[in-house]
Coordinates of all heavy atoms in Angstrom, one line a residue:
M1 N -45.0 -142.8 -122.4 CA -45.8 -143.3 -121.3 C -46.4 -142.0 -120.5 O -45.6 -141.0 -120.3 CB -45.1 -144.1 -120.2 CG -45.1 -145.6 -120.6 SD -44.3 -146.5 -119.3 CE -43.0 -147.3 -120.3
P2 N -47.5 -142.0 -120.0 CA -48.0 -140.9 -119.2 C -47.2 -140.8 -118.0 O -46.5 -141.7 -117.6 CB -49.4 -141.3 -118.9 CG -49.7 -142.4 -119.8 CD -48.5 -143.1 -120.2
N3 N -47.2 -139.6 -117.4 CA -46.4 -139.3 -116.1 C -46.9 -140.1 -115.0 O -46.1 -140.4 -114.1 CB -46.4 -137.9 -115.8 CG -45.5 -137.1 -116.7 OD1 -44.7 -137.7 -117.5 ND2 -45.6 -135.7 -116.7
N4 N -48.1 -140.4 -114.9 CA -48.7 -141.2 -113.7 C -49.7 -142.3 -114.2 O -50.6 -142.1 -114.8 CB -49.5 -140.2 -112.8 CG -48.6 -139.2 -112.2 OD1 -47.8 -139.6 -111.4 ND2 -48.7 -137.9 -112.5
T5 N -49.2 -143.5 -113.9 CA -49.9 -144.7 -114.2 C -49.9 -145.6 -113.1 O -49.3 -145.3 -112.0 CB -49.3 -145.4 -115.5 OG1 -48.1 -146.0 -115.2 CG2 -49.1 -144.5 -116.7
S6 N -50.5 -146.8 -113.3 CA -50.4 -147.8 -112.1 C -49.0 -148.4 -112.1 O -48.6 -149.0 -111.1 CB -51.4 -148.9 -112.3 OG -51.1 -149.6 -113.5
I7 N -48.1 -148.1 -113.1 CA -46.8 -148.6 -113.2 C -45.8 -147.6 -112.7 O -44.9 -147.9 -111.8 CB -46.5 -149.0 -114.6 CG1 -47.5 -150.0 -115.2 CG2 -45.1 -149.6 -114.7 CD1 -47.4 -150.2 -116.6
I8 N -45.9 -146.4 -113.2 CA -44.9 -145.4 -112.9 C -45.6 -144.1 -112.5 O -46.8 -143.9 -112.9 CB -43.9 -145.0 -114.0 CG1 -44.5 -144.5 -115.2 CG2 -43.0 -146.2 -114.4 CD1 -43.6 -143.9 -116.3
S9 N -44.9 -143.3 -111.8 CA -45.4 -142.0 -111.4 C -44.3 -141.0 -111.4 O -43.1 -141.3 -111.2 CB -46.3 -142.0 -110.1 OG -45.4 -142.2 -109.0
A10 N -44.7 -139.7 -111.6 CA -43.7 -138.6 -111.5 C -44.4 -137.4 -110.8 O -45.5 -137.0 -111.2 CB -43.3 -138.2 -112.9
S11 N -43.8 -137.0 -109.7 CA -44.3 -135.9 -109.0 C -43.2 -135.0 -108.4 O -42.2 -135.6 -108.0 CB -45.1 -136.5 -107.7 OG -45.5 -135.4 -106.8
P12 N -43.4 -133.8 -108.4 CA -42.3 -132.9 -107.9 C -42.0 -133.2 -106.4 O -40.9 -133.0 -106.0 CB -42.8 -131.5 -108.0 CG -44.0 -131.5 -108.9 CD -44.5 -133.0 -109.0
D13 N -42.9 -133.8 -105.7 CA -42.7 -134.1 -104.3 C -42.0 -135.4 -104.0 O -41.6 -135.7 -102.9 CB -44.1 -134.2 -103.6 CG -44.9 -132.9 -103.7 OD1 -44.2 -131.9 -103.7 OD2 -46.1 -132.9 -103.7
V14 N -41.8 -136.2 -105.1 CA -41.1 -137.5 -105.0 C -39.9 -137.6 -105.9 O -40.1 -137.5 -107.1 CB -42.1 -138.7 -105.3 CG1 -41.4 -140.1 -105.2 CG2 -43.3 -138.7 -104.3
M15 N -38.8 -137.6 -105.3 CA -37.5 -137.7 -106.0 C -37.4 -136.5 -107.1 O -36.9 -136.7 -108.2 CB -37.3 -139.0 -106.6 CG -37.4 -140.2 -105.7 SD -36.2 -140.1 -104.4 CE -34.7 -140.7 -105.3
G16 N -37.9 -135.4 -106.7 CA -37.9 -134.2 -107.7 C -38.5 -134.4 -109.0 O -38.2 -133.7 -109.9
G17 N -39.5 -135.2 -109.1 CA -40.3 -135.5 -110.3 C -39.7 -136.5 -111.3 O -40.3 -136.7 -112.3
T18 N -38.6 -137.1 -110.9 CA -38.0 -138.2 -111.7 C -39.0 -139.3 -111.6 O -39.5 -139.7 -110.6 CB -36.6 -138.6 -111.1 OG1 -35.8 -137.4 -111.1 CG2 -36.0 -139.6 -112.1
P19 N -39.2 -140.0 -112.8 CA -40.2 -141.1 -112.8 C -39.7 -142.3 -111.9 O -38.5 -142.6 -111.9 CB -40.1 -141.6 -114.3 CG -39.8 -140.4 -115.1 CD -38.8 -139.7 -114.2
V20 N -40.6 -142.8 -111.1 CA -40.4 -143.8 -110.1 C -41.5 -144.9 -110.3 O -42.5 -144.6 -110.9 CB -40.5 -143.3 -108.7 CG1 -39.4 -142.3 -108.4 CG2 -41.8 -142.8 -108.3
F21 N -41.2 -146.1 -109.8 CA -42.3 -147.1 -109.8 C -43.4 -146.6 -108.8 O -43.0 -146.2 -107.7 CB -41.7 -148.4 -109.4 CG -40.9 -149.1 -110.5 CD1 -39.6 -149.0 -110.6 CD2 -41.6 -149.8 -111.5 CE1 -38.8 -149.5 -111.6 CE2 -40.9 -150.4 -112.5 CZ -39.5 -150.3 -112.6
A22 N -44.6 -146.7 -109.3 CA -45.7 -146.2 -108.5 C -45.7 -146.8 -107.1 O -45.6 -147.9 -106.9 CB -47.1 -146.5 -109.2
G23 N -46.0 -145.9 -106.1 CA -46.0 -146.3 -104.7 C -44.6 -146.5 -104.1 O -44.6 -147.0 -103.0
T24 N -43.6 -146.1 -104.8 CA -42.2 -146.3 -104.3 C -41.4 -145.1 -104.5 O -41.9 -144.1 -105.1 CB -41.5 -147.5 -104.9 OG1 -41.0 -147.1 -106.2 CG2 -42.3 -148.8 -105.0
R25 N -40.2 -145.1 -104.1 CA -39.2 -144.0 -104.4 C -38.1 -144.5 -105.2 O -37.0 -144.0 -105.3 CB -38.7 -143.4 -103.1 CG -39.8 -142.7 -102.2 CD -39.3 -142.1 -100.9 NE -38.2 -141.0 -101.1 CZ -38.5 -139.8 -101.4 NH1 -39.8 -139.4 -101.5 NH2 -37.6 -138.9 -101.5
V26 N -38.3 -145.7 -105.9 CA -37.3 -146.3 -106.7 C -37.4 -145.9 -108.1 O -38.4 -145.9 -108.8 CB -37.6 -147.9 -106.7 CG1 -36.5 -148.6 -107.6 CG2 -37.5 -148.5 -105.3
L27 N -36.4 -145.2 -108.6 CA -36.3 -144.6 -109.9 C -36.4 -145.7 -111.0 O -35.7 -146.8 -110.9 CB -35.0 -143.9 -110.1 CG -34.7 -142.8 -109.2 CD1 -33.3 -142.2 -109.5 CD2 -35.7 -141.7 -109.3
V28 N -37.2 -145.4 -112.0 CA -37.2 -146.4 -113.2 C -35.9 -146.5 -113.8 O -35.5 -147.6 -114.2 CB -38.3 -145.8 -114.2 CG1 -38.4 -146.6 -115.4 CG2 -39.7 -145.9 -113.6
Q29 N -35.2 -145.5 -113.8 CA -33.8 -145.5 -114.4 C -32.9 -146.6 -113.8 O -32.1 -147.2 -114.4 CB -33.2 -144.1 -114.4 CG -31.8 -144.0 -115.0 CD -31.9 -144.4 -116.5 OE1 -32.7 -143.8 -117.2 NE2 -31.0 -145.2 -117.0
T30 N -33.2 -146.8 -112.4 CA -32.4 -147.7 -111.7 C -32.6 -149.2 -112.4 O -31.7 -149.9 -112.5 CB -32.8 -147.7 -110.3 OG1 -32.6 -146.5 -109.7 CG2 -31.9 -148.8 -109.5
L31 N -33.9 -149.5 -112.7 CA -34.1 -150.8 -113.4 C -33.3 -150.8 -114.7 O -32.6 -151.8 -115.0 CB -35.6 -151.0 -113.6 CG -35.9 -152.2 -114.6 CD1 -35.4 -153.5 -113.9 CD2 -37.3 -152.2 -115.0
L32 N -33.4 -149.8 -115.5 CA -32.7 -149.7 -116.7 C -31.2 -149.9 -116.6 O -30.5 -150.6 -117.4 CB -33.0 -148.5 -117.5 CG -34.5 -148.4 -117.8 CD1 -34.9 -147.0 -118.5 CD2 -35.0 -149.5 -118.7
D33 N -30.7 -149.2 -115.5 CA -29.2 -149.3 -115.3 C -28.9 -150.8 -114.9 O -27.8 -151.2 -115.3 CB -28.8 -148.4 -114.1 CG -28.9 -146.9 -114.5 OD1 -29.0 -146.6 -115.8 OD2 -28.9 -146.0 -113.6
Y34 N -29.6 -151.5 -114.1 CA -29.4 -152.8 -113.7 C -29.4 -153.7 -115.0 O -28.4 -154.5 -115.1 CB -30.5 -153.3 -112.8 CG -30.2 -153.3 -111.4 CD1 -30.0 -152.1 -110.7 CD2 -30.1 -154.5 -110.6 CE1 -29.7 -152.1 -109.4 CE2 -29.7 -154.5 -109.2 CZ -29.5 -153.3 -108.6 OH -29.3 -153.2 -107.2
L35 N -30.4 -153.6 -115.8 CA -30.5 -154.4 -117.0 C -29.3 -154.1 -118.0 O -28.7 -155.1 -118.5 CB -31.8 -154.2 -117.7 CG -33.0 -154.6 -116.9 CD1 -34.3 -154.3 -117.7 CD2 -33.0 -156.1 -116.6
K36 N -28.9 -152.8 -118.1 CA -27.8 -152.5 -119.0 C -26.5 -153.1 -118.5 O -25.7 -153.5 -119.3 CB -27.7 -150.9 -119.1 CG -26.6 -150.5 -120.1 CD -26.8 -149.0 -120.4 CE -26.3 -148.2 -119.1 NZ -26.2 -146.7 -119.4
A37 N -26.4 -153.3 -117.2 CA -25.2 -153.8 -116.6 C -25.1 -155.3 -116.6 O -24.3 -155.9 -116.2 CB -25.1 -153.3 -115.1
G38 N -26.3 -155.9 -117.2 CA -26.3 -157.3 -117.2 C -26.9 -158.0 -116.1 O -26.9 -159.3 -115.9
E39 N -27.5 -157.2 -115.1 CA -28.1 -157.8 -114.0 C -29.5 -158.3 -114.4 O -30.0 -157.9 -115.4 CB -28.2 -156.8 -112.9 CG -26.9 -156.2 -112.4 CD -26.0 -157.1 -111.6 OE1 -26.6 -158.1 -111.0 OE2 -24.8 -157.0 -111.6
S40 N -30.1 -159.2 -113.6 CA -31.3 -159.8 -113.9 C -32.5 -159.0 -113.2 O -32.2 -158.2 -112.3 CB -31.4 -161.2 -113.5 OG -31.4 -161.3 -112.0
I41 N -33.7 -159.3 -113.5 CA -34.8 -158.7 -112.9 C -34.8 -159.2 -111.5 O -35.1 -158.4 -110.6 CB -36.1 -159.1 -113.6 CG1 -36.2 -158.4 -115.0 CG2 -37.3 -158.7 -112.8 CD1 -37.4 -158.8 -115.9
D42 N -34.5 -160.4 -111.2 CA -34.5 -160.9 -109.8 C -33.4 -160.1 -109.0 O -33.7 -159.8 -107.8 CB -34.2 -162.4 -109.8 CG -35.3 -163.3 -110.3 OD1 -36.5 -162.8 -110.0 OD2 -35.1 -164.3 -110.8
D43 N -32.2 -159.8 -109.6 CA -31.3 -159.0 -108.8 C -31.8 -157.6 -108.5 O -31.6 -157.2 -107.4 CB -30.0 -158.8 -109.7 CG -29.2 -160.1 -109.9 OD1 -29.3 -161.0 -109.1 OD2 -28.6 -160.2 -111.0
F44 N -32.5 -157.1 -109.4 CA -33.2 -155.7 -109.2 C -34.1 -155.8 -108.1 O -34.1 -155.1 -107.2 CB -33.8 -155.2 -110.4 CG -34.6 -154.0 -110.2 CD1 -34.0 -152.7 -110.1 CD2 -36.0 -154.0 -110.1 CE1 -34.8 -151.5 -109.9 CE2 -36.7 -152.9 -109.9 CZ -36.1 -151.6 -109.8
L45 N -35.0 -156.8 -108.1 CA -36.1 -157.0 -107.1 C -35.5 -157.3 -105.8 O -36.1 -156.9 -104.8 CB -37.1 -158.1 -107.5 CG -37.9 -157.7 -108.8 CD1 -38.6 -159.0 -109.3 CD2 -38.8 -156.6 -108.6
D46 N -34.4 -158.1 -105.7 CA -33.8 -158.3 -104.4 C -33.3 -157.0 -103.8 O -33.4 -156.8 -102.5 CB -32.5 -159.3 -104.6 CG -33.0 -160.7 -104.8 OD1 -34.2 -161.0 -104.7 OD2 -32.1 -161.5 -105.3
G47 N -32.8 -156.1 -104.6 CA -32.3 -154.9 -104.1 C -33.3 -153.8 -103.8 O -33.0 -152.9 -103.0
F48 N -34.5 -154.0 -104.4 CA -35.5 -153.0 -104.3 C -36.9 -153.8 -104.0 O -37.8 -153.8 -104.8 CB -35.6 -152.1 -105.5 CG -34.4 -151.4 -105.8 CD1 -33.4 -151.8 -106.5 CD2 -34.2 -150.2 -105.1 CE1 -32.2 -151.2 -106.7 CE2 -32.9 -149.5 -105.3 CZ -31.9 -150.0 -106.1
P49 N -37.0 -154.3 -102.8 CA -38.3 -155.1 -102.6 C -39.6 -154.4 -102.5 O -40.6 -155.0 -102.6 CB -38.0 -155.7 -101.2 CG -37.0 -154.7 -100.5 CD -36.1 -154.2 -101.7
T50 N -39.6 -153.0 -102.6 CA -40.8 -152.3 -102.7 C -41.4 -152.3 -104.0 O -42.6 -152.0 -104.2 CB -40.7 -150.8 -102.2 OG1 -39.7 -150.2 -103.0 CG2 -40.3 -150.8 -100.7
V51 N -40.6 -152.7 -105.0 CA -41.0 -152.8 -106.5 C -41.5 -154.3 -106.6 O -40.8 -155.3 -106.2 CB -40.0 -152.5 -107.4 CG1 -40.6 -152.6 -108.9 CG2 -39.5 -151.0 -107.2
T52 N -42.6 -154.5 -107.3 CA -43.1 -155.8 -107.5 C -42.7 -156.3 -108.9 O -42.4 -155.5 -109.8 CB -44.6 -155.9 -107.5 OG1 -45.2 -155.2 -108.5 CG2 -45.2 -155.4 -106.2
R53 N -42.6 -157.6 -109.1 CA -42.3 -158.3 -110.4 C -43.3 -157.8 -111.4 O -43.0 -157.5 -112.6 CB -42.2 -159.8 -110.3 CG -42.0 -160.4 -111.6 CD -41.9 -161.9 -111.4 NE -40.7 -162.3 -110.6 CZ -39.5 -162.3 -111.0 NH1 -39.2 -162.1 -112.2 NH2 -38.5 -162.6 -110.1
E54 N -44.6 -157.7 -111.0 CA -45.6 -157.3 -111.9 C -45.4 -155.9 -112.5 O -45.7 -155.6 -113.6 CB -47.0 -157.4 -111.2 CG -47.4 -158.8 -110.9 CD -46.8 -159.5 -109.7 OE1 -46.1 -158.7 -108.9 OE2 -46.9 -160.7 -109.6
Q55 N -45.0 -155.0 -111.5 CA -44.6 -153.6 -112.0 C -43.5 -153.6 -113.0 O -43.6 -152.9 -114.1 CB -44.2 -152.7 -110.8 CG -45.4 -152.3 -110.0 CD -44.8 -151.4 -108.8 OE1 -44.0 -152.0 -108.0 NE2 -45.3 -150.2 -108.6
V56 N -42.5 -154.4 -112.8 CA -41.3 -154.5 -113.7 C -41.8 -155.0 -115.1 O -41.4 -154.4 -116.2 CB -40.2 -155.3 -113.1 CG1 -39.1 -155.6 -114.1 CG2 -39.6 -154.6 -111.9
I57 N -42.5 -156.1 -115.1 CA -42.9 -156.7 -116.3 C -43.9 -155.8 -117.1 O -43.8 -155.6 -118.3 CB -43.6 -158.1 -116.0 CG1 -42.6 -159.0 -115.4 CG2 -44.2 -158.6 -117.3 CD1 -41.4 -159.3 -116.2
A58 N -44.8 -155.2 -116.3 CA -45.7 -154.3 -116.9 C -45.0 -153.1 -117.6 O -45.3 -152.6 -118.7 CB -46.8 -153.7 -116.0
F59 N -43.9 -152.5 -116.9 CA -43.1 -151.4 -117.4 C -42.4 -151.8 -118.7 O -42.4 -151.1 -119.7 CB -42.2 -151.0 -116.4 CG -41.1 -150.0 -117.0 CD1 -41.5 -148.7 -117.2 CD2 -39.8 -150.5 -117.2 CE1 -40.5 -147.9 -117.8 CE2 -38.9 -149.5 -117.8 CZ -39.3 -148.3 -118.0
L60 N -41.8 -153.0 -118.6 CA -41.0 -153.4 -119.9 C -42.0 -153.7 -121.0 O -41.6 -153.4 -122.1 CB -40.3 -154.7 -119.5 CG -39.1 -154.5 -118.5 CD1 -38.4 -155.8 -118.1 CD2 -38.0 -153.5 -119.1
E61 N -43.1 -154.3 -120.8 CA -44.1 -154.5 -121.8 C -44.6 -153.2 -122.4 O -44.7 -153.1 -123.7 CB -45.3 -155.4 -121.3 CG -44.9 -156.8 -121.1 CD -46.0 -157.6 -120.4 OE1 -47.0 -157.0 -119.9 OE2 -45.9 -158.9 -120.4
E62 N -44.9 -152.3 -121.6 CA -45.4 -150.9 -122.1 C -44.3 -150.2 -122.8 O -44.6 -149.6 -123.9 CB -45.9 -150.1 -120.9 CG -46.5 -148.8 -121.3 CD -47.8 -148.9 -122.1 OE1 -48.4 -149.9 -122.0 OE2 -48.1 -147.9 -122.8
A63 N -43.0 -150.3 -122.3 CA -42.0 -149.6 -122.9 C -41.7 -150.2 -124.3 O -41.5 -149.5 -125.4 CB -40.7 -149.7 -122.1
G64 N -41.8 -151.5 -124.4 CA -41.6 -152.2 -125.7 C -42.8 -151.9 -126.7 O -42.4 -151.5 -127.8
R65 N -44.0 -151.8 -126.2 CA -45.1 -151.4 -127.1 C -44.9 -150.0 -127.6 O -45.1 -149.7 -128.8 CB -46.4 -151.4 -126.4 CG -47.0 -152.8 -126.4 CD -48.4 -152.8 -125.9 NE -48.6 -152.4 -124.5 CZ -48.5 -153.2 -123.5 NH1 -48.2 -154.5 -123.6 NH2 -48.6 -152.7 -122.2
N66 N -44.4 -149.0 -126.7 CA -44.3 -147.7 -127.1 C -43.1 -147.5 -128.1 O -43.2 -146.7 -129.1 CB -44.0 -146.8 -125.9 CG -45.3 -146.5 -125.1 OD1 -46.3 -146.5 -125.6 ND2 -45.1 -146.3 -123.8
L67 N -42.1 -148.2 -128.0 CA -40.9 -148.3 -128.9 C -41.4 -148.7 -130.3 O -41.0 -148.2 -131.3 CB -39.8 -149.1 -128.3 CG -38.6 -149.1 -129.2 CD1 -38.0 -147.8 -129.4 CD2 -37.5 -150.0 -128.5
V68 N -42.1 -149.9 -130.2 CA -42.7 -150.4 -131.5 C -43.5 -149.3 -132.2 O -43.4 -149.2 -133.4 CB -43.3 -151.8 -131.4 CG1 -44.1 -152.2 -132.6 CG2 -42.3 -152.9 -130.9
N69 N -44.4 -148.8 -131.5 CA -45.3 -147.7 -132.1 C -44.5 -146.6 -132.5 O -44.9 -145.9 -133.6 CB -46.3 -147.2 -131.0 CG -47.3 -148.3 -130.7 OD1 -47.6 -149.2 -131.6 ND2 -48.0 -148.3 -129.6
L70 N -43.3 -146.2 -132.0 CA -42.6 -145.1 -132.5 C -42.0 -145.3 -134.0 O -41.9 -144.4 -134.8 CB -41.4 -144.8 -131.5 CG -41.8 -144.0 -130.3 CD1 -40.5 -143.9 -129.5 CD2 -42.2 -142.6 -130.7
V71 N -41.7 -146.6 -134.2 CA -41.1 -146.9 -135.5 C -42.1 -147.4 -136.5 O -41.7 -147.6 -137.6 CB -40.0 -147.8 -135.3 CG1 -38.8 -147.3 -134.5 CG2 -40.3 -149.2 -134.7
A72 N -43.4 -147.7 -136.1 CA -44.3 -148.3 -136.9 C -45.0 -147.3 -137.8 O -45.0 -146.1 -137.6 CB -45.4 -149.0 -136.1

């Protein structure tokens, strides 16, 4: 994924350049950690209300497409 999209962004001025959901300071890795731990998207959104469901779904869809393209 590009470093800056409508879904995620990375800037040295925000969280040291670590990818975050665009318009927030919430690390994308935090979502992945929640899902890996068996938590739901709703649990994540409850904990991080600045991230929208649309951002989460768009991120997961894009990540899935990129993964499929890597192995295709």
Side-chain angles (χ1 to χ4, degrees):
M1 272 187 236
N3 284 348
N4 292 293
T5 69
S6 61
I7 304 166
I8 63 169
S9 64
S11 167
D13 297 331
V14 178
M15 305 303 284
T18 303
V20 297
F21 285 96
T24 77
R25 297 178 63 81
V26 179
L27 303 178
V28 171
Q29 184 62 49
T30 303
L31 170 64
L32 299 175
D33 292 343
Y34 263 67
L35 297 175
K36 186 169 71 172
E39 301 290 336
S40 69
I41 291 172
D42 287 331
D43 292 332
F44 173 79
L45 293 171
D46 287 344
F48 300 94
T50 58
V51 179
T52 66
R53 178 174 299 279
E54 291 77 16
Q55 284 176 301
V56 169
I57 299 302
F59 169 75
L60 293 173
E61 288 174 347
E62 183 67 20
R65 279 191 296 274
N66 285 336
L67 183 60
V68 169
N69 287 337
L70 280 175
V71 296

